[in-house]
Amino acid sequence: MGTFTKILFASVCVAFLAVKWTAPSFNAESLRGARVLVTGASTGIGEQMAYHYARFGAQIVITARREKVLQQVADKCLSLGAQKALYVAADMASESDADNAVDFALEKLGGLDYLVLNHIGPTPFSMWDGDVEHTKWLMKVNFFSYIQMAWKALPSLEQNKGSLVVVSSLLGRMQTPFVAPYASTKFALNGFFGSLQHELVMKKSNVSISICTLGLIDTESAMDKVRGITDVPAYPATDTALNIIMTGATRQPELFYPWFTYYVSLSKDLFPYISNYIIQNSYSRIP
Ligand SMILES: NC(=O)c1ccc[n+]([C@@H]2O[C@H](COP(=O)([O-])OP(=O)(O)OC[C@H]3O[C@@H](n4cnc5c(N)ncnc54)[C@H](OP(=O)(O)O)[C@@H]3O)[C@@H](O)[C@H]2O)c1
Ligand SMILES: *[C@@H]1O[C@H](CO)[C@@H](O)[C@H](O)[C@H]1NC(C)=O
């Protein structure tokens, strides 16, 4: 082994151990009675997060557009052990609905310890066809509602030493084809909340922000899009949900799930030619 390789190897080991030692350990008890608002919780990762919070004995408010489905999820949360499980229907393309959802949670729970922003509007998995209106609408749902709700919840989170959890994507850190409107909303989230993260630390705020970078997760909506087009491995929504919750509860600034998403996003900058080649050749057809 050359000197350089040795030094590189040693620094990687030190960095790895440093991360292992300094990462605070998750205490499930800390979530008992915690007041949580989860958005996009009628299905997918949001629904699984609601169930995990319920098992930990939290008090939760869930939101999405479909009231009937929310009611079923809330009922299941109660049966799993949630201290409270309430729902409020909201369309996040509407500013007043986004406001109402936060107001509802603040009022019914008497404050918030966690705001988990997770919802996304449906978007096609296909080549960009010039639909600017769709992109504007998606920006409202996936981005503007996030900053609006975060701002509205911030005073209560500040009082309660709370946490803001933003569910983002690998596609908010690297560009891949067929997802231009979606990727733009996720890049916007990473830009905005990354900047806010600095500001909160600099002003010694009580609030932590966790930005979650997810790879492909096996939710119905994601699987319907990529089935037969790519064989990138999909990871389970329930494990994803638990990892997001633990990241928020331990106040870590970032989550990469599955773990290799971190290296994928690095390799895009370190080896752009190889990375682009792999990306452009990892689809069996153009959707
Ligand atoms: N699945 C993946 O492969 C993957 C990968 C990377 C990142 N992520 C991120 O993980 C999060 C969850 O993804 P998912 O796959 O679980 O999504 P999903 O299954 O499609 O669920 C989306 C949720 O958002 C709600 N929603 C849709 N439009 C809405 C609107 N206009 N207003 C309010 N709520 C709305 C949906 O409920 P209603 O229809 O009832 O409104 C549903 O509860 C997202 O932030 C996504 O970007 C997912
Ligand atoms: C931060 O939390 C402490 C209690 O832990 C509280 O006294 C203080 O007022 C909070 N700061 C703000 C700005 O709310």
Side-chain angles (χ1 to χ4, degrees), residues 128-148:
W128 166 244
D129 64 356
D131 192 346
V132 176
E133 281 311 310
H134 169 72
T135 308
K136 283 187 186 166
W137 172 83
L138 199 66
M139 267 290 180
K140 277 194 207 164
V141 177
N142 291 11
F143 175 63
F144 287 113
S145 69
Y146 276 50
I147 65 179
Q148 194 188 339

Side-chain angles (χ1 to χ4, degrees), residues 2 11 19 25-26 39 44 58-59 63 110 149 167 185 189 211 235 249 253 272:
S11 0
V19 168
S25 60
F26 171 62
T39 72
Q59 310 182 54
T63 182
M149 295 176 83
V167 180
T185 67
L189 284 179
I211 302 176
Y235 283 72

Side-chain angles (χ1 to χ4, degrees), residues 23-266:
S25 60
F26 171 62
N27 171 15
E29 272 308 304
S30 71
L31 292 176
R32 191 163 303 284
R35 295 160 296 175
V36 186
L37 170 58
V38 184
T39 72
S42 61
T43 184
I45 299 165
E47 178 187 1
Q48 297 306 318
M49 287 197 278
Y51 298 151
H52 284 301
Y53 277 121
R55 290 186 195 99
F56 291 127
Q59 310 182 54
I60 39 190
V61 170
I62 55 173
T63 182
R65 288 167 306 177
R66 291 169 299 161
E67 195 160 1
K68 278 267 153 56
V69 189
L70 286 172
Q71 190 184 347
Q72 291 164 3
V73 174
D75 286 346
K76 186 165 170 190
C77 286
L78 286 176
S79 74
L80 288 171
Q83 285 186 11
K84 272 188 191 170
L86 306 165
Y87 60 91
V88 54
D91 181 345
M92 295 304 176
S94 143
E95 285 183 28
S96 55
D97 277 20
D99 271 345
N100 284 344
V102 178
D103 284 337
F104 178 90
L106 289 173
E107 189 195 316
K108 300 284 177 185
L109 304 179
L112 275 176
D113 299 300
Y114 292 94
L115 172 59
V116 184
L117 296 170
N118 163 78
H119 63 275
I120 45 165
T123 186
F125 185 69
S126 61
M127 283 213 180
W128 166 244
D129 64 356
D131 192 346
V132 176
E133 281 311 310
H134 169 72
T135 308
K136 283 187 186 166
W137 172 83
L138 199 66
M139 267 290 180
K140 277 194 207 164
V141 177
N142 291 11
F143 175 63
F144 287 113
S145 69
Y146 276 50
I147 65 179
Q148 194 188 339
M149 295 176 83
W151 187 247
K152 205 164 175 65
L154 215 51
S156 179
L157 293 174
E158 193 73 63
Q159 252 176 22
N160 301 306
K161 284 195 183 298
S163 300
L164 174 63
V165 178
V166 177
V167 180
S168 188
S169 168
L170 186 53
L171 304 186
R173 294 178 173 270
M174 69 186 276
Q175 302 85 347
T176 65
F178 318 129
V179 290
Y182 174 79
S184 61
T185 67
K186 292 299 189 186
F187 266 79
L189 284 179
N190 281 51
F192 187 94
F193 287 101
S195 181
L196 189 62
Q197 223 168 24
H198 284 303
E199 294 174 12
L200 295 188
V201 172
M202 288 165 76
K203 67 178 189 190
K204 300 189 168 49
S205 161
N206 284 341
V207 182
S208 67
I209 298 186
S210 302
I211 302 176
C212 303
T213 297
L214 307 183
L216 185 60
I217 311 302
D218 68 358
T219 61
E220 219 176 289
S221 66
M223 291 298 99
D224 282 351
K225 285 182 182 141
V226 302
R227 196 171 291 122
I229 296 171
T230 174
D231 46 19
V232 168
Y235 283 72
T238 163
D239 194 40
T240 309
L242 185 58
N243 276 276
I244 295 171
I245 289 173
M246 287 164 57
T247 301
T250 52
R251 305 176 78 83
Q252 292 173 82
E254 288 193 301
L255 166 70
F256 286 89
Y257 181 95
W259 61 274
F260 58 78
T261 52
Y262 176 67
Y263 297 94
V264 174
S265 75
L266 272 188

